[in-house]
Structures are given as C-alpha cells and as structure tokens.
Amino acid sequence: AQTVTQSQPEMSVQEAETVTLSCTYDTSESDYYLFWYKQPPSRQMILVIRQEAYKQQNATENRFSVNFQKAAKSFSLKISDSQLGDAAMYFCAYRSANYGGSQGNLIFGKGTKLSVKP
Amino acid sequence: EAGVTQFPSHSVIEKGQTVTLRCDPISGHDNLYWYRRVMGKEIKFLLHFVKESKQDESGMPNNRFLAERTGGTYSTLKVQPAELEDSGVYFCASSLLGGDRETQYFGPGTRLLVL
C-alpha cells in the first residue's frame, strides 16, 4: 500500500523569505500523480501544484515549485517570497495513475502547518 | 462557477444520534469522493462515486456509515448511530470523468463533534 509522510508538523518562515516543505512517499507503482494542497485557517482546501511522475521537469506555479526526486521518492514544496496569505496547513498527496477502483482516491500525509511572520 | 459545497459546516450531536452530511459537487463532475480527517491524523479516503454508482467504498469504517448519491448529483453521508470516534472533519471532493480527472476539488468540510 502507498504511504505519504510529512515529517514536519510545523514550519515557520519570515515574510519574503523562502521555505521548503518536505514530503516523502512509498509506492511500487511507476506511474502516479503527486499533489500539494493548501488549507488556510477555516477555509477550503485548494490545489497548489501537481506533478506527473512520468515528467522529469519539476512543476512550478508562480512562487510555488516542487523538487521531485522519483528515485528517492521525495516531493518537496518550495515557497519563494513568502506572503502572509501563505499561512496554512499544507498537505502532500499521492494518487495512482491507474484510474479505477481504489486507485482513484488520494492518499494524504498528516500535513505541515506553515506560519508566516511579518 | 460554483465550487464544491458542503452542509452543514458544523454539527454537534450526542452519541447515538444520527447525522446526515451533504455534498454538492461542481456541476458536471461525475466523480465524487468522501474523505475524513480525525484530529491529529491523516485525511483518509472513505468512498468514491462515479455518477450514482459506488465505485469504491473500501474506506468506509463500518456499517454505521451510509453514503448515497441521488441521480448522480449531490451526495449524502449518514452516520447512524454516531459514536465518539466519528468526530472529525468530513471532506467531499469532486473531479471530472476523463479530461483533467486527476485533480480533485475539495469542499470546505463539515466539522462533526460527537459528545
């Protein structure tokens, strides 16, 4: 069974600085998707960034980028120029690319709570 | 375009009572998922609908939980009778069938507290 591990329960960053959130996963599959979701306090969980395992190029979305190391099964999220609005719980998630049955669901890590200091 | 909505946002009930949670997916999304996050633990998958059919309910904890999706539109998740360990946040997510089906869009969640 696949597992996702986020080893940092809490992180803190100074506004305008850069922070990296860690995520590792375990799978025997070769094709899958990885996601970072963000849940601000009392607000909806939204997708931050998505990575297809077959793509070697790391995904980027504005100030958010990932460092995807397939061999190491590592998928870290880098937030550049941190803003106060980045404060949230961040969840790393895995999804098999073999659509159908139980493989359609997301497998989540426990989350990392990010605080941004002004 | 409206996002995924869930009702109620909060529910406080006593052990042994019944609670029904509702999820309205994004219009046109045939995939609908239920997840749950118990305090301090991971978000866990409960079940997956494709249209009105249950594709996978392997995550349902026990037979006190019943999910339905009427006509392939909104879904309900009923807990009867509720137990203390059912407390947590229940999330609903939806996605397209085909196309950008890899991305699931989440609702705000229902916070359930069983006393």
Side-chain angles (χ1 to χ4, degrees):
Chain A
Q2 295 86 9
T3 59
V4 176
T5 302
Q6 293 179 251
S7 59
Q8 306 153 317
E10 295 188 26
M11 290 282 284
S12 181
V13 63
Q14 202 71 33
E15 195 176 7
E17 296 293 311
T18 295
V19 64
T20 298
L21 308 184
S22 301
C23 173
T24 59
Y25 59 94
D26 189 27
T27 183
S28 58
E29 299 178 323
S30 59
D31 200 12
Y32 48 85
Y33 300 92
L34 296 165
F35 304 85
W36 278 98
Y37 279 89
K38 164 187 175 182
Q39 186 178 28
S42 302
R43 291 180 60 187
Q44 206 142 339
M45 188 154 56
I46 59 173
L47 178 69
V48 174
I49 201 164
R50 181 181 90 184
Q51 176 79 42
E52 291 87 348
Y54 65 87
K55 290 185 178 179
Q56 292 187 343
Q57 186 174 8
N58 289 325
T60 62
E61 286 289 343
N62 301 314
R63 298 182 295 106
F64 297 87
S65 62
V66 298
N67 183 5
F68 173 50
Q69 301 290 328
K70 191 172 184 179
K73 296 179 182 175
S74 172
F75 183 62
S76 61
L77 175 70
K78 185 171 82 171
I79 305 174
S80 304
D81 185 26
S82 297
Q83 300 176 0
L84 295 178
D86 294 333
M89 184 72 87
Y90 286 81
F91 294 98
C92 179
Y94 170 103
R95 182 191 178 287
S96 171
N98 298 313
Y99 190 72
S102 63
Q103 295 158 332
N105 57 283
L106 294 169
I107 299 167
F108 287 90
K110 286 188 176 181
T112 296
K113 184 178 181 181
L114 178 67
S115 302
V116 181
K117 298 178 181 177
Chain B
E1 177 182 306
V4 178
T5 57
Q6 293 186 245
F7 182 83
S9 59
H10 295 79
S11 180
V12 180
I13 61 173
E14 293 188 352
K15 175 182 173 181
Q17 289 186 320
T18 297
V19 63
T20 300
L21 314 180
R22 172 169 170 148
C23 168
D24 286 79
I26 293 173
S27 178
H29 282 196
D30 288 328
N31 287 309
L32 188 149
Y33 302 83
W34 283 99
Y35 294 86
R36 175 175 76 171
R37 186 183 186 207
V38 173
M39 185 174 291
K41 297 194 175 182
E42 297 93 337
I43 300 170
K44 293 281 194 182
F45 166 74
L46 295 178
L47 88 158
H48 170 205
F49 283 99
V50 176
K51 298 183 181 180
E52 68 275 6
S53 299
K54 292 177 185 175
Q55 178 75 15
D56 178 12
E57 51 186 329
S58 62
M60 295 287 262
N62 50 61
N63 59 10
R64 295 186 294 103
F65 288 75
L66 175 64
E68 295 180 327
R69 189 177 183 190
T70 307
T73 55
Y74 70 91
S75 174
T76 58
L77 179 64
K78 182 163 70 174
V79 186
Q80 179 183 29
E83 298 289 344
L84 300 179
E85 64 265 26
D86 300 332
S87 296
V89 183
Y90 290 76
F91 293 102
C92 174
S94 71
S95 69
L96 288 168
L97 189 64
D100 187 22
R101 63 189 187 198
E102 294 81 14
T103 298
Q104 296 180 21
Y105 298 87
F106 281 78
T110 293
R111 284 154 182 78
L112 174 64
L113 179 59
V114 183
L115 301 175

Coordinates of all heavy atoms in Angstrom, one line a residue, chain A residues 2-6 45 91-93 106-111, chain B residues 35-46 87-89 91:
Chain A
Q2 N 0.4 2.3 -0.6 CA 1.1 3.5 -0.7 C 1.0 4.3 0.6 O -0.1 4.3 1.2 CB 0.6 4.4 -1.9 CG 0.8 3.8 -3.2 CD -0.3 2.8 -3.6 OE1 -1.3 2.7 -3.0 NE2 -0.1 2.1 -4.7
T3 N 2.0 5.0 0.9 CA 2.0 5.9 2.1 C 2.7 7.2 1.8 O 3.5 7.3 0.9 CB 2.8 5.3 3.3 OG1 4.1 5.0 2.9 CG2 2.1 4.0 3.8
V4 N 2.3 8.2 2.5 CA 2.8 9.6 2.3 C 3.2 10.1 3.7 O 2.5 10.0 4.6 CB 1.8 10.5 1.7 CG1 2.4 11.9 1.6 CG2 1.4 10.0 0.3
T5 N 4.5 10.6 3.8 CA 5.0 11.1 5.0 C 5.4 12.5 5.0 O 6.2 12.9 4.1 CB 6.2 10.2 5.5 OG1 5.8 8.8 5.6 CG2 6.7 10.7 6.8
Q6 N 4.9 13.3 5.9 CA 5.3 14.7 6.0 C 5.9 14.8 7.4 O 5.3 14.7 8.4 CB 4.2 15.7 5.9 CG 3.6 15.7 4.5 CD 2.4 16.6 4.3 OE1 1.3 16.2 4.2 NE2 2.7 17.9 4.4
M45 N -9.8 23.7 1.2 CA -8.6 23.2 0.7 C -8.5 23.4 -0.8 O -9.4 23.1 -1.5 CB -8.5 21.7 1.1 CG -7.2 21.1 0.8 SD -6.9 19.6 1.9 CE -8.3 18.6 1.5
F91 N -0.9 20.0 2.7 CA -0.9 18.5 2.6 C -0.3 18.0 1.3 O -0.6 18.6 0.2 CB -2.4 18.1 2.6 CG -3.1 18.4 3.9 CD1 -3.9 19.5 4.1 CD2 -3.0 17.5 5.0 CE1 -4.6 19.7 5.2 CE2 -3.6 17.7 6.2 CZ -4.5 18.8 6.3
C92 N 0.5 17.0 1.5 CA 1.1 16.3 0.3 C 0.2 15.1 0.0 O -0.3 14.5 1.0 CB 2.5 15.9 0.7 SG 3.3 15.0 -0.6
A93 N -0.1 14.8 -1.2 CA -1.0 13.7 -1.5 C -0.5 13.0 -2.8 O 0.1 13.5 -3.7 CB -2.4 14.2 -1.8
L106 N -7.1 9.9 -3.3 CA -5.9 10.5 -2.8 C -5.4 9.9 -1.5 O -6.3 9.6 -0.7 CB -6.1 12.0 -2.7 CG -6.4 12.8 -3.9 CD1 -6.8 14.2 -3.6 CD2 -5.1 12.8 -4.8
I107 N -4.1 9.8 -1.4 CA -3.5 9.3 -0.1 C -2.7 10.5 0.4 O -1.8 11.0 -0.3 CB -2.6 8.1 -0.3 CG1 -3.5 6.9 -0.9 CG2 -1.9 7.7 1.0 CD1 -2.7 5.8 -1.4
F108 N -3.1 10.9 1.6 CA -2.5 12.1 2.2 C -1.5 11.9 3.3 O -1.5 10.9 4.0 CB -3.6 13.0 2.8 CG -4.6 13.7 1.9 CD1 -5.7 13.0 1.4 CD2 -4.3 14.9 1.4 CE1 -6.6 13.6 0.5 CE2 -5.2 15.6 0.6 CZ -6.3 14.9 0.1
G109 N -0.6 12.9 3.4 CA 0.3 13.0 4.6 C -0.5 13.7 5.7 O -1.6 14.1 5.5
K110 N 0.2 13.8 6.8 CA -0.5 14.3 8.0 C -0.6 15.9 7.9 O -1.3 16.5 8.7 CB 0.2 13.9 9.3 CG 0.0 12.5 9.7 CD 0.5 12.2 11.1 CE 0.2 10.8 11.5 NZ 0.7 10.5 12.9
G111 N 0.2 16.5 7.1 CA 0.1 17.9 6.9 C 1.3 18.6 7.7 O 1.8 18.1 8.6
Chain B
Y35 N -13.9 12.0 2.2 CA -12.7 11.8 3.0 C -13.1 12.2 4.4 O -14.0 13.0 4.6 CB -11.5 12.6 2.5 CG -11.0 12.3 1.1 CD1 -11.6 12.9 0.0 CD2 -9.9 11.4 1.0 CE1 -11.1 12.6 -1.3 CE2 -9.4 11.1 -0.3 CZ -10.0 11.7 -1.4 OH -9.5 11.4 -2.7
R36 N -12.2 11.8 5.3 CA -12.4 12.2 6.7 C -11.0 12.4 7.4 O -10.1 11.7 7.1 CB -13.1 11.1 7.5 CG -13.3 11.4 9.0 CD -14.1 10.4 9.7 NE -13.4 9.1 9.9 CZ -13.9 8.1 10.6 NH1 -15.1 8.2 11.2 NH2 -13.2 7.0 10.8
R37 N -11.0 13.5 8.2 CA -9.8 13.7 8.9 C -10.1 13.7 10.4 O -10.8 14.6 10.9 CB -9.1 15.1 8.6 CG -7.8 15.2 9.3 CD -7.1 16.6 9.0 NE -5.8 16.6 9.5 CZ -5.2 17.7 9.9 NH1 -5.8 18.9 9.8 NH2 -3.9 17.7 10.4
V38 N -9.6 12.7 11.1 CA -9.8 12.7 12.5 C -8.6 13.5 13.1 O -7.5 13.5 12.6 CB -9.7 11.2 13.0 CG1 -9.7 11.1 14.5 CG2 -10.9 10.4 12.5
M39 N -8.9 14.2 14.2 CA -7.9 15.1 14.8 C -6.5 14.5 14.9 O -6.4 13.4 15.5 CB -8.4 15.6 16.1 CG -7.5 16.7 16.7 SD -8.1 17.5 18.2 CE -9.5 18.3 17.5
G40 N -5.5 15.2 14.4 CA -4.1 14.8 14.5 C -3.7 13.7 13.5 O -2.6 13.2 13.6
K41 N -4.6 13.2 12.7 CA -4.3 12.1 11.8 C -4.4 12.6 10.3 O -4.8 13.7 10.0 CB -5.2 10.9 12.1 CG -4.9 10.4 13.5 CD -5.6 9.0 13.7 CE -5.2 8.4 15.0 NZ -5.8 7.1 15.2
E42 N -4.1 11.6 9.5 CA -4.2 12.0 8.1 C -5.6 12.0 7.6 O -6.5 11.5 8.2 CB -3.5 10.9 7.2 CG -2.0 10.7 7.5 CD -1.7 9.6 8.5 OE1 -2.6 9.3 9.3 OE2 -0.6 9.1 8.5
I43 N -5.8 12.7 6.5 CA -7.1 12.7 5.8 C -7.2 11.3 5.1 O -6.3 10.9 4.4 CB -7.1 13.8 4.7 CG1 -6.9 15.2 5.3 CG2 -8.4 13.7 3.9 CD1 -6.7 16.3 4.3
K44 N -8.3 10.7 5.4 CA -8.4 9.3 4.9 C -9.6 9.2 4.0 O -10.7 9.8 4.2 CB -8.7 8.3 6.1 CG -7.5 8.2 7.1 CD -6.5 7.2 6.5 CE -5.5 6.8 7.5 NZ -4.4 5.9 7.0
F45 N -9.4 8.4 3.0 CA -10.5 8.2 2.0 C -11.6 7.3 2.6 O -11.3 6.4 3.3 CB -9.8 7.4 0.8 CG -10.8 6.8 -0.2 CD1 -11.5 7.5 -1.1 CD2 -11.0 5.4 -0.2 CE1 -12.4 7.0 -2.0 CE2 -11.8 4.8 -1.1 CZ -12.5 5.6 -2.0
L46 N -12.8 7.7 2.2 CA -14.0 6.9 2.7 C -14.6 6.1 1.5 O -14.7 4.9 1.5 CB -15.0 7.8 3.3 CG -14.6 8.5 4.6 CD1 -15.7 9.4 5.1 CD2 -14.2 7.4 5.7
S87 N -16.0 11.7 15.4 CA -15.7 13.1 15.4 C -14.5 13.4 14.4 O -13.6 12.6 14.4 CB -15.4 13.6 16.8 OG -16.5 13.5 17.7
G88 N -14.7 14.5 13.7 CA -13.6 14.8 12.8 C -14.2 15.8 11.7 O -15.3 16.3 11.8
V89 N -13.4 16.0 10.7 CA -13.8 16.8 9.6 C -14.0 15.9 8.4 O -13.1 15.2 8.0 CB -12.8 17.9 9.2 CG1 -13.3 18.8 8.1 CG2 -12.4 18.8 10.5
F91 N -14.7 15.7 4.5 CA -14.5 16.5 3.3 C -15.1 15.7 2.1 O -15.1 14.5 2.0 CB -13.0 16.6 2.9 CG -12.2 17.5 3.9 CD1 -11.4 16.9 4.9 CD2 -12.3 18.9 3.8 CE1 -10.7 17.7 5.8 CE2 -11.6 19.6 4.7 CZ -10.8 19.0 5.7

